[in-house]
Amino acid sequence: MNAYLIPKNPHPGLGQQSISYPLSTRETLTIGREPSRCQILIDSSYYQGVSRVHAEIKPVNYPTTHNILTWEISDYSSNGTYINGNKIQQSHILQPGDVIQLGKDGPEFIFNYQPQAFPTRKNNDSISVSQLLPVISKENSLAKKGLLIPGILTSVFVVSLFFAGSNPNLFNTLLGLYIIIICYHVIYRACGKDKPWWLLVGVAIAEILILVSPILLLFIIVFRGILPGGIEQNNLASAFIANFFGAGLMEELLKAIPAFILIFVSRFLKSPWREKIGIWEPLDGILILAAAGAGFTFIETLGQYIPRIVAAGGELAGLQLLIPRTIGAIAGHMAYSGYFGYFIGLSMLKPSKRWLLLGIGWVTSSALHGLWNASASISANPFFVSLFLASAGIVSYMFLMAAILKARELSPSVNRFGTYQK
């Protein structure tokens, strides 16, 4: 190791007494109060201004003509990280002798290292077996990078659709499920964080079970009976009010139930299960709530809308509704719930503002939901209705993707280059 941190003033507040902390040329070093996530552990009883995950130091290839390996520090704290007395904005390339301070009155470390140039590769005209057959050497990488599963699922679903052609209900179910999975995969890849597939599938199934349980009836009574979710929709204003309460607030809260259950359960688990299952940051919230949105889309589309349309207009009409409704989930149910999930995860990072953040997320996601549902009331002209619907979908998608980008900035699990840090 040619880089290290030295405590400027050794103090019992450092969870582990060390003359120096070596920095890896491959791994990220995390500093903070969270024992399960930090390599340099800070005792909060001495330094209350240090966050659970305060800062990370990671190796980077500094963009010079010499390809020098150096280190970058990123701030994820509430009270800031200071380099030589100056507060950094998100990240900073460290220089030898830099003094790192966690918060205004937190512990200080001195960074030092000896520059190391990358070795240059020699030209080699020989051809290896792995070059001729890349699949041999990259088989494991395909799975680890999430590139193998989509191909396997696509092949399985294509063959299944061929055999299900004589059974319209099965065909619609398989097609709808495949489209929903692909839409969710886009969100998953955009987030760039690992979350167990069985957990995400379990959340979607749990949401389906909630919607076929008496819980749904109770919510309908409250939001569409007691609250104005069931008022008559005579114009755009009344349609928005009805859908804000009767669709937005009601359905977004229904989709958030699995997330709140996971938050509660994970508190009783030990590491690493508590990190895998729980919601500890905005990316966790987005992934979990978007999975609930996928389950909601599946049961609402295949269990409610399609049977009604098929009964009235035939199998072709059902298929024509199935495809746009499931594709639209990425700018619909998954977008609304994923946006709410961002605020649920953010509330875990900022517990003192928890109820405010939860309220903002719930109301905002419900407003996006209500806006889409009320679009049909904007005009009697189909062109203007279609234009408004498209605009509402674009806005919802933008809100979701903006939340994902902000969540990646805040996340201690994804670096600025988009790489997941295990």
Side-chain angles (χ1 to χ4, degrees):
M1 299 298 177
N2 64 342
Y4 44 89
L5 295 182
I6 304 174
K8 186 176 181 182
N9 298 301
H11 191 278
L14 292 175
Q16 44 184 317
Q17 296 299 308
S18 175
I19 298 176
S20 66
Y21 299 94
L23 298 175
S24 169
T25 58
R26 295 185 177 183
E27 303 294 331
T28 297
L29 181 138
T30 306
I31 310 173
R33 297 185 287 105
E34 178 60 52
S36 63
R37 301 168 71 175
C38 300
Q39 288 75 49
I40 299 182
L41 193 62
I42 308 298
D43 191 337
S44 60
S45 61
Y46 291 96
Y47 297 112
Q48 297 181 357
V50 176
S51 299
R52 288 193 309 115
V53 176
H54 196 102
E56 283 187 344
I57 300 178
K58 58 180 76 84
V60 294
N61 180 10
Y62 193 65
T64 68
T65 56
H66 299 292
N67 285 333
I68 299 299
L69 178 69
T70 186
W71 280 260
E72 178 185 61
I73 185 169
S74 299
D75 176 56
Y76 300 106
S77 68
S78 301
N79 296 319
T81 299
Y82 295 79
I83 304 296
N84 303 324
N86 299 314
K87 186 176 182 180
I88 66 173
Q89 299 296 325
Q90 295 186 358
S91 61
H92 174 85
I93 296 294
L94 291 168
Q95 301 296 330
D98 278 349
V99 177
I100 303 167
Q101 185 173 24
L102 309 181
K104 278 280 189 180
D105 304 311
E108 294 179 297
F109 301 87
I110 299 174
F111 170 79
N112 212 339
Y113 83 110
Q114 297 175 349
Q116 178 185 16
F118 289 127
T120 57
R121 291 188 177 182
K122 297 181 179 180
N123 291 329
N124 190 345
D125 291 335
S126 63
I127 299 177
S128 64
V129 175
S130 65
Q131 290 173 345
L132 294 175
L133 295 172
V135 70
I136 295 177
S137 62
K138 295 301 180 183
E139 183 178 358
N140 292 332
S141 296
L142 287 173
K144 291 179 180 179
K145 294 182 180 296
L147 301 174
L148 182 61
I149 300 301
I152 294 175
L153 287 177
T154 297
S155 298
V156 171
F157 271 100
V158 166
V159 173
S160 300
L161 287 171
F162 278 128
F163 284 97
S166 59
N167 187 332
N169 290 332
L170 179 58
F171 183 90
N172 287 343
T173 299
L174 291 172
L175 179 61
L177 181 59
Y178 175 73
I179 295 174
I180 291 170
I181 291 174
I182 293 300
C183 289
Y184 183 83
H185 184 70
V186 172
I187 296 174
Y188 183 84
R189 296 293 294 174
C191 286
K193 180 179 181 180
D194 249 350
K195 212 66 176 172
W197 67 266
W198 49 263
L199 176 66
L200 302 174
V201 172
V203 167
I205 294 174
E207 185 62 30
I208 292 174
L209 295 176
I210 289 171
L211 294 177
V212 298
S213 73
I215 296 175
L216 176 60
L217 179 60
L218 177 62
F219 271 63
I220 290 174
I221 293 172
V222 173
F223 288 93
R224 297 180 183 176
I226 300 174
L227 295 175
I231 64 172
E232 189 175 354
Q233 302 178 33
N234 299 318
N235 49 45
L236 180 60
S238 61
F240 176 76
I241 292 172
N243 285 287
F244 174 74
F245 285 94
L249 290 178
M250 184 186 82
E251 294 179 6
E252 297 315 311
L253 187 57
L254 277 168
K255 288 184 281 185
I257 291 176
F260 293 135
I261 293 175
L262 289 177
I263 290 173
F264 176 78
V265 171
S266 64
R267 293 183 179 276
F268 300 96
L269 300 177
K270 295 183 179 180
S271 184
W273 288 104
R274 65 194 304 265
E275 289 80 19
K276 287 183 178 181
I277 292 177
I279 296 177
W280 304 104
E281 58 166 305
L283 284 177
D284 290 328
I286 293 171
L287 289 170
I288 294 299
L289 267 291
F296 194 102
T297 300
F298 180 81
I299 194 65
E300 182 185 57
T301 302
L302 275 301
Q304 180 181 353
Y305 288 105
I306 299 304
R308 186 189 307 168
I309 293 299
V310 168
E315 299 295 343
L316 179 59
L319 186 62
Q320 289 174 331
L321 177 65
L322 169 69
I323 296 174
R325 274 197 65 85
T326 49
I327 292 177
I330 194 171
H333 280 297
M334 291 188 208
Y336 316 140
S337 55
Y339 192 71
F340 188 15
Y342 165 83
F343 284 93
I344 292 176
L346 188 61
S347 73
M348 300 301 294
L349 289 182
K350 303 179 183 294
S352 63
K353 307 290 184 182
R354 178 163 298 162
W355 293 109
L356 174 63
L357 292 170
L358 290 175
I360 292 174
W362 187 25
V363 170
T364 307
S365 60
S366 299
L368 292 171
H369 195 154
L371 184 66
W372 167 271
N373 283 25
S375 298
S377 302
I378 192 172
S379 172
N381 189 321
F383 173 78
F384 289 111
V385 171
S386 300
L387 183 63
F388 196 82
L389 279 169
S391 300
I394 291 171
V395 169
S396 297
Y397 179 80
M398 289 175 59
F399 269 62
L400 172 63
M401 290 302 159
I404 290 175
L405 291 177
K406 177 56 68 174
R408 289 170 71 100
E409 290 180 13
L410 298 172
S411 174
S413 303
V414 179
N415 67 26
R416 66 193 292 261
F417 301 106
T419 304
Y420 173 68
Q421 302 292 328
K422 292 189 178 181

